[in-house]
Amino acid sequence: MLAEQRFELILRELNASRAASVPRLCELTGASEATIRRDLNTLARQGRLNKVHGGAVLTNGEFQGEEPDVGTKTLLHQEEKERIARYAASLVDNDDVVYIDAGTTTVRMMEHLRGCKALFVTNGVACAQRLLELELRGHVVGGWLKPGTGAVVGAEALEGLERYNFTKTFLGINGITVRQGFTTPDPEEAAVKRKASQRAYLTYVLADNSKFEKVTAATVLPLEKASIITDRLPDRSYLEHTIIKEV
């Protein structure tokens, strides 16, 4: 049987069952385990499935074209975001220079940073407001204020970030997949997130479990460029690509 014929049978089985073991795929195709494992590696690289221990699962790859506004997102996954934010805040030391991205999970970090002596830089209006209220040391990146998300973006924001060397950057995100990496709907927000990561020694992405297997329009970073802090990892195969902390 030709490789393309095996690929078709493997994907047909996954579409029907959403998961398949290596022995089941061997039975289906008449191929050896070594051949099936090579096929799964090839299909995983193509983003057509997710390889897991002992077999493969269907890649959901749900595409999201539009981003909910901040008010809507604030209501979603509140308990999970709180756990993620608390753990992320525990990583900040008094001598850090920290970038805090705009986002509903990142802004929750502020509640756990009272009294911290670190220097904070943000492009989020809500984050900036909390910096003031908590009397934390902070700078706000200049640029165009994006309606809906309250993020400051654009060329001026990118230029402003060039002035900093961050010890730690904390990013919000909309989608995470193995193939497309970390994604967000707006290319301008993606550019700011990418620049903040490039200026940082360590980058953390704060993402509740609903962000996995979702794809949005603009790629921010490949998975290996940032560690993930999440409440629950839906697919252990992500551990092959980056460091992930479940809280």
Side-chain angles (χ1 to χ4, degrees), residues 139-213:
H139 291 212
V140 181
V141 173
W144 178 65
L145 180 58
K146 182 185 170 187
T149 62
V152 178
V153 298
E156 187 178 346
L158 295 174
E159 183 180 347
L161 288 172
E162 287 283 358
R163 303 188 185 106
Y164 295 99
N165 296 303
F166 302 115
T167 54
K168 291 160 188 168
T169 279
F170 295 89
L171 300 179
I173 210 68
N174 298 82
I176 306 174
T177 63
V178 170
R179 185 180 183 188
Q180 290 88 358
F182 301 107
T183 60
T184 198
D186 181 8
E188 290 205 88
E189 282 207 54
V192 172
K193 293 174 190 287
R194 190 180 309 116
K195 177 63 72 175
S197 177
Q198 290 169 350
R199 303 300 302 175
Y201 179 66
L202 296 171
T203 298
Y204 299 95
V205 170
L206 313 188
D208 64 76
N209 69 82
S210 71
K211 306 298 176 64
F212 290 89
E213 291 308 310

Side-chain angles (χ1 to χ4, degrees), residues 53-65:
H53 181 70
V57 297
L58 187 66
T59 299
N60 293 327
E62 177 187 344
F63 184 84
Q64 293 190 328

